[in-house]
Amino acid sequence: MTVDGRLGGRLIALGVTGSIAAYKATELIRLLAAEGADVVVMLTPSATRFVAPLALEALSGHAVESDVLALLPDGRIGHIVIADTCDAVVVAPATASWLGAMANGLAGDVVTATCLASSAPVVVAPAMDGEMYAHPATTANVARLRDTFGYRIVEPEEGPLASGQLGVGRLAALPTIVAAVVAAIGDRPVRTADPAVRPARVAAPRPADLAGRHVVVTAGGTREPIDPVRFIGNRSTGRMGVAVAEAALARGAEVTLIAAGVSVDLPAGAAIVAAETTAQLRAALLSALGGADGRAGFDALVMAAAVADFTPIAPADTKLARGAGLRLDLAPTPDLVAEVVRIAAGLDSAGASRRPLSPRPIIVGFAAETGSLDRAAGKLQRKGLDLLVANDVAEPGSGFGSETNRVTVFDRDGDREAWPLLPKRDVADRILDRVVRALDERDTMGQTEPIEQESQR
Ligand code: CTP
């Protein structure tokens, strides 16, 4: 999903009914997606005889709805979820039979049921034999949809028809249908931008390009104890780190997820290490890094955890009473990712040189900034990272707990790349694309190349 284009960020429900022109649905999905739309497809039972649901699922990235009685895996009613979340319904091609059902409110298939249940604008593009389109029954049904229901009709065109005859009945040109959808939506606000509320996307199949790699991901926010019941924490939910762990698993990696305070479900298949405080996170990281035998314990570290910058110097052993007030003395925490980079580069904690760990791990940091990303490139240099994923958490759709993220990625070569607003899983896969590239380069260049030691501070 991109936010550019005339349908950026919109969910369009495409209803396909049983006409020979149903095959054009594939191209219509492509055109709608090129305008930035997220498309979910609904088929009437007869449409499934013209087009394979699997092809439409692969193209749209959503499971195809074809059974009006079917429930989604999460128990929600498929066509109601579509009706409630879509920005427009477009029925193309619409057969004479479907027009008749719709004009009479007969909700026997998912497309009519969705139209009945939705307050979104509806665009209808009929396609059929010329005589059928000219029949008074069809004319009356079309008029009812247009004049009583307020649906926008995209008239069929004249031309050769499936019967071999010439007539008015060919599905309108696809760009004309797209333009009608754009016009029908006008400047209405996006109804539901949250992918968690929309019909779920099916994960695109990915190559197992991380098979044989060990990826360590940190997620969530650390909690620094004030007393046995209170802590200093942050707003991180762990959603981004968990998305990276899930994406890495799907690409064949062995994954260790070091979880600080995480409030989303943890992925099955990852080795989970719980770490509440910065000190525990440090211990878990150093244990995963290993290195006693000169070998790095992982191929890549994605440091998505929000690590506390300060910790109470002397947490109380018993619960503090409200009393007259409280003054906390805080000490800065060590920079964990910078320490991992230093150890991997062959420096011990006292700063003495030894052999760099082999193979050199690829290390990705995150930076949650507010207002400007100006500090990000300096942060990458200072910490000695391969990649820094920076976002402005003050921006709508990019904050803590959000399902989406708009990030800018900085790399060691000084390049920066701004990505559009994307679901966190897509951000995760793009980050892993870069990790795969960096690992391949590392392996090509020789595994023991020492990393620059600019991260000392
Ligand atoms: N990080 C870390 N240890 C810390 C603080 C941060 O390893 N004590 C990691 C984070 O997990 C993240 C990256 O460093 O991957 C950047 O975090 P950020 O909080 O933006 O960096 P800071 O070093 O805290 O910089 P500043 O306080 O100047 O914003």
Side-chain angles (χ1 to χ4, degrees):
M1 179 179 65
T2 72
V3 290
D4 307 320
R6 293 181 296 169
L7 296 172
R10 304 280 185 183
L11 177 67
I12 306 299
L14 170 59
V16 181
T17 73
S19 149
I20 184 80
Y23 77 90
K24 295 185 180 171
T26 52
E27 182 62 8
L28 188 51
I29 294 170
R30 207 186 56 73
L31 291 180
L32 292 165
E35 293 285 357
D38 187 12
V39 182
V40 58
V41 181
M42 306 171 294
L43 298 180
T44 60
S46 57
T48 59
R49 299 179 63 182
F50 289 95
V51 275
L54 192 60
L56 302 176
E57 175 175 313
L59 278 170
S60 66
H62 287 282
V64 168
E65 282 292 317
S66 55
D67 180 353
V68 73
L69 299 178
L71 298 180
L72 298 176
D74 60 11
R76 297 184 295 167
I77 302 168
H79 63 272
I80 299 295
V81 173
I82 296 174
D84 288 348
T85 56
C86 71
D87 291 284
V89 182
V90 51
V91 186
T95 59
S97 163
W98 184 83
L99 292 169
M102 189 66 235
N104 290 286
L106 301 177
D109 64 78
V110 272
V111 185
T112 39
T114 303
C115 291
L116 284 177
S118 187
S119 57
V122 178
V123 175
V124 177
M128 66 199 73
D129 169 70
E131 302 293 342
M132 286 172 83
Y133 193 62
H135 193 284
T138 308
T139 310
N141 290 333
V142 168
R144 186 162 159 80
L145 263 54
R146 184 182 51 232
D147 303 334
T148 309
F149 299 177
Y151 292 179
R152 197 174 278 253
I153 308 294
V154 187
E155 293 290 343
E157 296 175 352
E158 183 168 8
L161 303 169
S163 59
Q165 300 169 0
L166 271 181
V168 176
R170 278 173 66 90
L171 183 70
L174 300 183
T176 310
I177 299 173
V178 173
V181 174
V182 171
I185 293 175
D187 55 7
R188 292 163 191 249
V190 171
R191 284 180 79 200
T192 44
D194 187 348
V197 184
R198 288 182 174 185
R201 291 187 68 80
V202 288
R206 281 272 169 182
D209 52 6
L210 284 169
R213 308 287 197 186
H214 181 198
V215 177
V216 173
V217 182
T218 66
T222 59
R223 296 174 169 184
E224 307 304 310
I226 297 171
D227 68 16
V229 295
R230 304 181 180 91
F231 57 81
I232 299 177
N234 58 66
R235 294 184 193 281
S236 172
T237 60
R239 205 180 283 280
M240 189 64 239
V242 167
V244 172
E246 285 172 345
L249 283 165
R251 296 165 74 150
E254 175 197 346
V255 175
T256 300
L257 177 63
I258 305 178
V262 171
S263 51
V264 295
D265 289 343
L266 298 175
I272 308 289
V273 181
E276 191 175 346
T277 63
T278 300
Q280 289 167 356
L281 185 55
R282 176 172 180 272
L285 271 173
L286 296 187
S287 150
L289 181 61
D293 57 356
R295 294 196 61 76
F298 50 75
D299 294 285
L301 168 65
V302 180
M303 190 75 187
V307 184
D309 284 328
F310 305 99
T311 187
I313 290 176
D317 292 333
T318 52
K319 184 182 170 189
L320 295 167
R322 181 174 335 128
L326 178 64
R327 199 180 260 288
L328 284 177
D329 282 322
L330 305 175
T333 54
D335 189 328
L336 307 187
V337 77
E339 186 176 355
V340 169
V341 171
R342 279 200 305 273
I343 294 172
L347 294 173
D348 65 20
S349 31
S353 285
R354 34 183 197 109
R355 266 189 66 196
L357 297 190
S358 171
R360 180 177 86 80
I362 300 301
I363 298 185
V364 181
F366 276 72
E369 306 286 344
T370 46
S372 143
L373 303 183
D374 289 351
R375 292 171 350 118
K379 225 175 242 191
L380 173 132
Q381 292 285 325
R382 182 155 50 82
K383 293 175 188 264
L385 304 171
D386 292 277
L387 213 63
L388 181 77
V389 182
N391 68 336
D392 178 355
V393 287
E395 197 185 308
S398 274
F400 295 112
S402 133
E403 288 280 350
T404 52
N405 212 351
R406 187 198 300 276
V407 304
T408 299
V409 172
F410 297 77
D411 67 21
R412 282 157 76 83
D413 300 330
D415 292 330
R416 61 186 282 174
E417 216 175 272
W419 296 346
L421 185 69
L422 294 166
K424 282 186 173 166
R425 176 57 185 264
D426 292 359
V427 175
D429 267 314
R430 286 185 177 218
I431 293 168
L432 292 177
D433 289 344
R434 298 289 296 255
V435 168
V436 167
R437 228 161 73 195
L439 285 168
D440 289 347
E441 277 167 23
R442 173 196 81 175
D443 293 350
T444 318
M445 288 169 66
Q447 303 196 326
T448 52
E449 181 213 5
I451 52 180
E452 290 160 35
Q453 295 170 3
E454 59 213 352
S455 59
Q456 293 183 66
R457 62 169 195 176

